[in-house]
Amino acid sequence: VKAMVAIEDHRFWEHKGVDWYRTARAMLSSATGGNTQGGSTITQQLVRNMTGDTEVTVKRKFREICRALDFDAKNSKEDILTLYLNYVYFGHGFSGIQTAAKGYFGKDVSELDLAESACIVGITNYPSLYDPLRDVVFEKSGMTPRQYNKKRQETILDEMVKYGYLTEAEASAAKAEKLIFTDTDEYKAL
């Protein structure tokens, strides 16, 4: 939960479903030709996933904002996070954190450690790029999804330190941990 909040929506516990600062920043960036992503809160992402309303228009974004405000008013933050973690796509055909934990690490979600949790949370941002079981080498970079996932995991751990969820030492230990995925010989030997 802390990893997801740190990387996706660090003001999640304070806002009412919409982070107006991030929304304004995203709109300004879009209007000036910059990056058009990054303004949606966890609540907005959940509403978009639940409704399937993904049209890229201002009208759709307005609907999403209204739905997120309403959804936040009617649900606890804990319920929103639970729904989000059980609904979101984690790559490799895995929807929901429990399925992802079993699929990537062969573990119940309650058994994941910090390094594994940050690894899985990072996938939601761009599943085809960060799916650590995907067996491909990207031609432009020469990197694999597992390598991209590792970089994303480290970014998440850094964000967790930035927002006070971890110490530098805890983040460093998690970064140094060797992850044992279900497709590795180490996992198969367990």
Side-chain angles (χ1 to χ4, degrees):
V1 167
K2 292 174 183 176
M4 183 65 72
V5 169
I7 197 65
E8 290 293 331
D9 187 1
H10 71 273
R11 284 187 282 272
F12 175 77
W13 300 107
E14 288 84 44
H15 65 64
K16 303 289 185 205
V18 176
D19 184 337
W20 294 109
Y21 173 77
R22 281 179 57 186
T23 299
R25 194 178 73 213
M27 288 172 57
L28 180 62
S29 179
S30 180
T32 58
N35 185 357
T36 58
Q37 297 181 353
S40 295
T41 64
I42 287 173
T43 310
Q44 287 174 269
Q45 292 174 47
L46 175 61
V47 167
R48 184 173 48 244
N49 281 319
M50 290 173 73
T51 63
D53 192 357
T54 58
E55 181 184 12
V56 184
T57 65
V58 172
K59 189 175 179 179
R60 194 269 315 155
K61 192 65 170 178
F62 180 73
R63 281 192 310 266
E64 177 184 291
I65 288 170
C66 291
R67 288 171 177 159
L69 291 168
D70 184 58
F71 198 80
D72 189 90
K74 294 177 179 174
N75 296 277
S76 71
K77 292 292 189 176
E78 292 78 9
D79 287 345
I80 291 168
L81 274 173
T82 299
L83 282 168
Y84 182 83
L85 289 169
N86 284 304
Y87 206 93
V88 74
Y89 182 65
F90 286 94
H92 216 79
F94 306 140
S95 289
I97 191 95
Q98 176 66 14
T99 306
K102 291 282 189 187
Y104 289 116
F105 296 107
K107 295 180 177 183
D108 186 87
V109 69
S110 66
E111 299 171 324
L112 293 177
D113 65 20
L114 176 61
E116 294 162 338
S117 296
C119 163
I120 289 177
V121 163
I123 298 167
T124 63
N125 177 256
Y126 195 159
S128 63
L129 182 65
Y130 296 125
D131 174 349
L133 298 185
R134 189 164 174 233
D135 187 20
V136 66
V137 175
F138 293 103
E139 201 169 301
K140 269 188 171 176
S141 66
M143 291 176 60
T144 66
R146 192 164 289 178
Q147 290 168 315
Y148 278 113
N149 179 278
K150 181 63 178 166
K151 290 179 95 163
R152 178 81 173 154
Q153 177 220 38
E154 291 177 356
T155 298
I156 290 167
L157 293 166
D158 290 340
E159 291 293 297
M160 291 179 77
V161 170
K162 178 179 174 181
Y163 295 115
Y165 293 119
L166 295 178
T167 65
E168 287 281 352
E170 290 168 323
S172 293
K175 289 176 185 179
E177 181 182 320
K178 180 178 169 73
L179 298 176
I180 309 297
F181 295 101
T182 56
D183 68 343
T184 62
D185 291 337
E186 293 100 327
Y187 179 82
K188 292 171 185 168
L190 294 176

